[in-house]
């Protein structure tokens, strides 16, 4: 298995990107364990260690997630160390909204941001799998930038690419996304003999889903690092560009390819 990304702590970066500017990464997942509601074939963090659809320790049971105090301390230190951040982004090696105290953590970070770096935005990269759950949803809605994954417009392609935990249905996700204002959709393009979302019926279903959701922006990208499934190979850049052009022309939704 090639080297995959696993963050050693709560803070990583900051890294500069075209969309987020100088972005401080925040990992709310336990060290050494990838906990997610999906197990995407292209995930650069490797195979999901625990495929779950809800955190199980809201009733005071022991948890291995970092505490609010630990997150607060790590981010406060980083906000003083890196004074010109554009974005503080919840992402990490798994699904950040699975943290059982996610809404409280987002509010804590917002308060620190207001005090220390008022021009930085608070963002989240999410699978969108937990939008019907109250606590993940409250935390997501507290973020200034909401970047939601959508890799498919039909259940079969969704199951094949994202390999979700039981009880997670694509139609529920699309319905919730279509009710959310001011969101960014991020789509990883996949092409292989086993599954694809760039041609034929899967592509048509994806276009229709974007037309229903009508996000502020859709960003299309292709994997650029080793993946758990070697057959989930890189989609060429010209294909990413042409699909973005087609998507924008057919739906009127701003679409951009990004690396
Ligand atoms: S949702 Fe993100 S972290 Fe989870 S498996 Fe997919 S790519 Fe990896």
């Amino acid at each position: 298995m090639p080297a995959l990304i696993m963050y050693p702590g709560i803070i990583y970066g900051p890294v500069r990107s075209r969309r987020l500017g100088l972005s401080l990464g925040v990992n709310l997942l336990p060290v050494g364990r990838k906990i997610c509601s999906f197990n995407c074939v292209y995930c650069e963090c490797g195979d999901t260690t625990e495929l779950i659809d809800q955190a199980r320790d809201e009733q005071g049971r022991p948890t291995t997630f970092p505490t609010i105090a630990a997150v607060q301390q790590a981010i406060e230190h980083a906000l003083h160390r890196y004074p010109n951040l554009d974005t503080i982004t919840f992402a990490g090696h798994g699904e950040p909204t699975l943290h059982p105290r996610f809404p409280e953590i987002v509010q804590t970070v917002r308060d620190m941001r207001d005090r220390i770096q008022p021009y930085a935005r608070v963002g989240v990269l999410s699978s969108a799998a937990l939008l019907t759950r109250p606590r993940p949803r409250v935390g997501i809605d507290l973020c200034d930038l909401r970047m939601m994954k959508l890799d498919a417009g039909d259940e079969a392609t969704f199951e094949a690419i994202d390999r979700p935990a039981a009880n997670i249905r694509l139609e529920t996700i699309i319905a919730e996304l279509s009710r959310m204002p001011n969101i960014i959709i991020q789509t990883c393009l996949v092409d292989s003999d086993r599954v694809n979302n760039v041609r034929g019926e899967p592509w048509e279903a994806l276009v229709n889903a974007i037309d229903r959701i009508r996000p502020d922006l859709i960003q299309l990208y292709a994997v650029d690092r080793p993946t758990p499934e070697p057959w989930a190979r890189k989609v060429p850049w010209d294909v990413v560009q042409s699909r973005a052009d087609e998507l924008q022309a057919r739906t009127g939704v701003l679409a951009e390819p990004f690396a």
Side-chain angles (χ1 to χ4, degrees), residues 34 36 38-40 42-43 48 94 127 149:
K34 182 191 161 204
C36 195
F38 288 174
N39 186 20
C40 302
Y42 56 78
C43 184
T48 299
S127 69
K149 174 183 296 300

Side-chain angles (χ1 to χ4, degrees), residues 75-165:
I75 296 182
E76 177 145 13
H77 177 75
L79 291 179
H80 288 294
R81 182 172 178 192
Y82 308 110
N84 296 307
L85 296 171
D86 297 301
T87 316
I88 305 158
T89 309
F90 292 103
H93 52 249
E95 171 56 34
T97 70
L98 279 168
H99 192 297
R101 307 297 302 279
F102 184 60
E104 290 84 359
I105 287 175
V106 178
Q107 188 58 58
T108 300
V109 171
R110 288 185 67 90
D111 293 344
M112 279 191 291
R113 180 275 311 272
D114 292 348
R115 185 162 45 84
I116 304 170
Q117 292 201 44
Y119 298 110
R121 298 165 299 179
V122 176
V124 62
L125 282 163
S126 171
S127 69
L130 308 175
L131 290 174
T132 57
R133 308 281 166 85
R135 293 183 63 77
R137 181 59 177 271
V138 167
I140 288 171
D141 286 346
L142 277 170
C143 292
D144 305 312
L145 276 175
R146 294 179 292 272
M147 291 156 284
M148 303 284 117
K149 174 183 296 300
L150 185 78
D151 292 332
D154 66 280
E155 296 284 350
T157 306
F158 171 63
E159 293 281 337
I161 294 179
D162 293 340
R163 303 188 297 196

Side-chain angles (χ1 to χ4, degrees), residues 7-227:
Y7 297 104
I10 295 169
I11 298 298
Y12 58 96
V15 294
R16 187 168 289 285
S17 75
R18 197 151 50 93
R19 175 57 47 186
L20 299 177
L22 189 63
S23 173
L24 182 75
V26 181
N27 171 49
L28 298 180
L29 287 311
V31 173
R33 289 164 57 207
K34 182 191 161 204
I35 302 177
C36 195
S37 36
F38 288 174
N39 186 20
C40 302
V41 295
Y42 56 78
C43 184
E44 54 194 33
C45 301
D47 273 328
T48 299
T49 318
E50 287 154 70
L51 184 65
I52 57 175
D53 66 350
Q54 58 185 331
R56 286 166 286 198
D57 47 9
E58 284 184 29
Q59 306 307 319
R61 286 175 285 175
T63 174
T64 55
F65 288 87
T67 63
I68 294 181
V71 175
Q72 182 171 11
Q73 187 179 34
I75 296 182
E76 177 145 13
H77 177 75
L79 291 179
H80 288 294
R81 182 172 178 192
Y82 308 110
N84 296 307
L85 296 171
D86 297 301
T87 316
I88 305 158
T89 309
F90 292 103
H93 52 249
E95 171 56 34
T97 70
L98 279 168
H99 192 297
R101 307 297 302 279
F102 184 60
E104 290 84 359
I105 287 175
V106 178
Q107 188 58 58
T108 300
V109 171
R110 288 185 67 90
D111 293 344
M112 279 191 291
R113 180 275 311 272
D114 292 348
R115 185 162 45 84
I116 304 170
Q117 292 201 44
Y119 298 110
R121 298 165 299 179
V122 176
V124 62
L125 282 163
S126 171
S127 69
L130 308 175
L131 290 174
T132 57
R133 308 281 166 85
R135 293 183 63 77
R137 181 59 177 271
V138 167
I140 288 171
D141 286 346
L142 277 170
C143 292
D144 305 312
L145 276 175
R146 294 179 292 272
M147 291 156 284
M148 303 284 117
K149 174 183 296 300
L150 185 78
D151 292 332
D154 66 280
E155 296 284 350
T157 306
F158 171 63
E159 293 281 337
I161 294 179
D162 293 340
R163 303 188 297 196
N167 305 322
I168 295 175
R169 296 286 169 267
L170 178 66
E171 178 51 35
T172 307
I173 294 174
I174 293 174
E176 287 300 318
L177 289 172
S178 66
R179 286 193 277 269
M180 292 175 72
N182 307 122
I183 57 170
I184 296 169
I185 295 291
Q186 294 191 335
T187 300
C188 182
L189 296 183
V190 173
D191 197 4
S192 78
D193 298 338
R194 304 185 190 198
V195 62
N196 90 86
N197 59 2
V198 296
R199 293 177 277 109
E201 290 181 9
W203 171 248
E204 291 302 313
L206 184 59
V207 173
N208 290 337
I210 295 302
D211 202 25
R212 276 178 67 190
I213 296 168
R214 308 212 63 77
D216 284 356
L217 170 70
I218 175 166
Q219 297 178 315
L220 300 178
Y221 67 102
V223 284
D224 203 22
R225 294 194 176 94
T227 64

